[in-house]
Amino acid sequence: MRSEHAIRRPRPNSPVLTRTAGWIAVAFGVIHVVFSPLDRRDVWSDILDKGPWQTISLDITSENLAYSEAFWVAPGSFGVPVLLLGAFVLWTANRGERVPAAFGWAMSAWGAVLTALLPASPAWALLLVGVLLVLAARRTGAGSAGQR
């Protein structure tokens, strides 16, 4: 027979902080994947006309710098993985399940390094997502969504 105390239930995250972190990550990803190519539409038009194999290269030269930059800012960026992480965080929060604090700590560390290397960048959004996930994992409240 198992006692009530032997059953360990996962502690739910703070749903508001978790959802906020998720939406910030989704917005960050969408901006990188959707809006960055629009900002460089003339370069993307040239890439599509000449073909990506003729324009985008890991061997960056002055001739292909604009093409490489356009690639690494949009499809080659971390925009898609961050968008997927945000969608996962939102899905998890909507199910009332806990997002592990380790996700928040990892995102905070990554955001802190990127922000330190390039302060005038959107890396602060990654740091903010990480901090919100850590805080959400540490907070519980009576009546939190998903509390069983």
Side-chain angles (χ1 to χ4, degrees):
M1 235 172 112
R2 293 170 67 158
S3 74
E4 181 71 27
H5 297 285
I7 299 172
R8 184 173 177 196
R9 289 189 166 75
R11 192 174 70 187
N13 288 58
S14 170
V16 173
L17 293 177
T18 304
R19 284 188 186 99
T20 301
W23 281 115
I24 291 170
V26 166
F28 180 89
V30 167
I31 288 168
H32 257 281
V33 174
V34 174
F35 294 108
S36 292
L38 292 176
D39 190 38
R40 292 170 174 80
R41 81 187 89 181
D42 55 331
V43 176
W44 279 105
S45 176
D46 205 23
I47 289 171
L48 294 175
D49 286 344
K50 294 178 181 177
W53 294 275
Q54 302 299 319
T55 53
I56 301 169
S57 173
L58 289 176
D59 183 24
I60 300 172
T61 64
S62 58
E63 291 82 30
N64 70 4
L65 179 62
Y67 306 132
S68 295
E69 178 194 32
F71 172 79
W72 288 112
V73 168
S77 73
F78 285 103
V80 172
V82 171
L83 176 99
L84 293 173
L85 173 72
F88 172 74
V89 167
L90 289 170
W91 177 78
T92 303
N94 287 336
R95 291 176 49 101
E97 295 178 6
R98 185 175 185 282
V99 176
F103 279 99
W105 285 112
M107 187 69 79
S108 295
W110 182 34
V113 168
L114 292 178
T115 301
L117 292 172
L118 189 59
S121 74
W124 58 266
L126 299 175
L127 181 58
L128 178 61
V129 167
V131 169
L132 288 172
L133 289 175
V134 170
L135 291 174
R138 301 211 178 281
R139 274 195 186 173
T140 61
S144 292
Q147 196 167 13
R148 296 174 187 161

